[in-house]
Amino acid sequence: MDALRQQFAELRSSLHQRLIGQEALLDSLLLALLCNGHILLEGYPGTAKTRLVKLLGQSIQGDMGRIQFTPDLLPADVTGAEVLHQDAGQQSLSFQAGPIFNNLILADEINRAPAKVQSALLEAMEERQVTVAGKSYSLPAVFMVVATQNPIEQEGTYPLPEAQLDRFLLKTCVSYPDAQEELNIIRLVRSEEQQAEPLACTISEDNLLAARQAFQKTHVAPAIEQYIVNLVMATRQPELYQDSRLPQYIQLGASPRASIALDKCSRARAWLAGRDHVLPEDVAAVLPEVMAHRIQLNYRAQAESYSGADACAELLEQVLV
């Protein structure tokens, strides 16, 4: 177990050398990878989202597929379709797999495609299979969707429905680097133009699957379990917290997937930190990325610029361990 944990630490260090100014994003991606979950990245163009996903694909020794979502994209462009073949006068149908059958999927600008195309991912993300023409096809054992969306463009975009947002284990907001990090980025790209070096550390599929089994043994005390449940229930019964702004802004609370995700991510974070038990700090650290996109806020919250992250901050203040 220690060897697996050390390998993840070395993998993080290797990726950090090739990525500047996005340490929180890197930690979130590795957490999602360990938890066998999917992640939604919201950030401005050019903030290394695609670069990091490509590096992650190289690090897990797997295949990467990229889907550029556009308004004219069809569901078959994501899942694949049955294709008619003709050979020696004989016609036959065979399934041609789409890009969803790779280990790591970059769903770029997912909010640029209409709901019918977005929904093509739902079965793949939840059941890890794709059904075409009544026949189901299993996806690889290591399968992860990393979706991106631009927060500043509204024209020509289609907001993700709540049911699909709930399928993402984490949602992470990606910010711009500061001045020193920007300078280091220029120097890094310049050095890569002169000599591109492979990643110093990679992890095999077998070791990744073994790490997923190892972290699941992390102990969660009954008090921590109750803390997780109380946090989720507070989003469904915000009227119990009249000293906060939660009753004013929350329209619909988080689903049971939030409780499951909090438990899983807390155990994974504790395991990566070298512990065999979960602390309240683990739950608090993963709460914003697990919960913020699962809380449905009302129009008043939108008008007053109250976000899911603000709600998570108040939850941590109001709900005691």
Side-chain angles (χ1 to χ4, degrees):
M1 184 181 299
D2 289 337
L4 292 172
R5 190 183 290 117
Q6 180 62 29
Q7 192 167 9
F8 255 86
E10 292 173 357
L11 179 62
R12 186 193 183 283
S13 176
S14 175
L15 288 170
H16 183 256
Q17 293 175 7
R18 304 285 292 275
L19 190 83
I20 296 172
Q22 299 292 2
E23 290 192 25
L25 171 59
L26 175 57
D27 290 337
S28 298
L29 271 172
L30 290 178
L31 191 65
L33 180 66
L34 180 59
C35 291
N36 194 22
H38 312 291
I39 185 170
L40 177 62
L41 308 181
E42 184 174 88
Y44 307 119
T47 48
K49 299 187 296 294
T50 303
R51 175 185 174 88
L52 179 53
V53 174
K54 288 181 177 179
L55 290 172
L56 188 63
Q58 297 172 19
S59 68
I60 63 174
Q61 302 177 7
D63 299 322
M64 175 188 166
R66 177 173 179 172
I67 308 170
Q68 184 66 49
F69 280 72
T70 57
D72 60 347
L73 198 70
L74 298 175
D77 296 327
V78 176
T79 62
E82 289 197 327
V83 179
L84 180 65
H85 295 277
Q86 187 167 352
D87 185 20
Q90 299 293 324
Q91 293 183 343
S92 62
L93 287 173
S94 64
F95 177 69
Q96 182 173 334
I100 197 69
F101 283 86
N102 288 283
N103 299 107
L104 188 63
I105 310 300
L106 174 58
D108 214 0
E109 295 187 290
I110 190 173
N111 58 334
R112 285 202 170 278
K116 188 174 184 179
V117 179
Q118 294 173 3
S119 65
L121 287 173
L122 286 178
E123 182 186 13
M125 293 171 66
E126 190 69 18
E127 279 80 29
R128 309 297 171 119
Q129 67 177 24
V130 169
T131 302
V132 177
K135 186 176 181 180
S136 297
Y137 302 89
S138 298
L139 294 171
V142 175
F143 172 74
M144 178 180 175
V145 174
V146 181
T148 70
Q149 64 179 16
N150 190 337
I152 59 175
E153 294 182 353
Q154 299 298 327
E155 186 175 352
T157 61
Y158 303 83
L160 297 181
E162 287 74 15
Q164 185 162 9
L165 279 174
D166 211 19
R167 258 75 171 186
F168 286 100
L169 180 74
L170 303 172
K171 179 184 176 183
T172 301
C173 294
V174 187
S175 59
Y176 282 132
D178 59 30
Q180 183 59 50
E181 291 168 342
E182 193 89 11
L183 180 60
N184 293 336
I185 289 171
I186 294 173
R187 293 170 176 170
L188 174 64
V189 173
R190 185 189 301 146
S191 66
E192 290 180 344
E193 290 174 349
Q194 298 171 359
Q195 182 179 6
E197 298 181 358
L199 287 172
C201 178
T202 60
I203 185 170
S204 67
E205 180 176 321
D206 290 340
N207 284 348
L208 176 57
L209 295 176
R212 289 177 176 177
Q213 291 291 326
F215 94 84
Q216 293 178 10
K217 300 176 183 178
T218 306
H219 176 68
V220 184
I224 301 296
E225 292 178 331
Q226 192 61 52
Y227 182 46
I228 290 173
V229 171
N230 291 345
L231 285 167
V232 175
M233 295 305 296
T235 68
R236 302 178 198 169
Q237 300 173 330
E239 65 277 2
L240 300 179
Y241 301 89
Q242 294 296 331
D243 293 338
S244 70
R245 296 176 293 174
L246 298 174
Q248 305 173 34
Y249 296 132
I250 292 182
Q251 179 175 321
L252 188 64
S255 74
R257 281 198 188 95
S259 303
I260 297 171
L262 274 176
D263 172 68
K264 183 177 290 187
C265 291
S266 299
R267 283 184 288 139
R269 186 179 187 275
W271 184 82
L272 288 172
R275 286 181 273 104
D276 62 355
H277 60 281
V278 175
L279 298 176
E281 291 81 356
D282 296 315
V283 180
V286 301
L287 179 72
E289 293 181 74
V290 168
M291 189 84 80
H293 63 288
R294 291 184 161 94
I295 302 174
Q296 188 172 337
L297 303 176
N298 55 27
Y299 287 109
R300 180 178 177 183
Q302 298 176 27
E304 299 182 10
S305 300
Y306 183 86
S307 66
D310 296 326
C312 289
E314 289 204 67
L315 285 171
L316 293 174
E317 292 178 359
Q318 297 291 324
V319 181
L320 302 179
V321 182

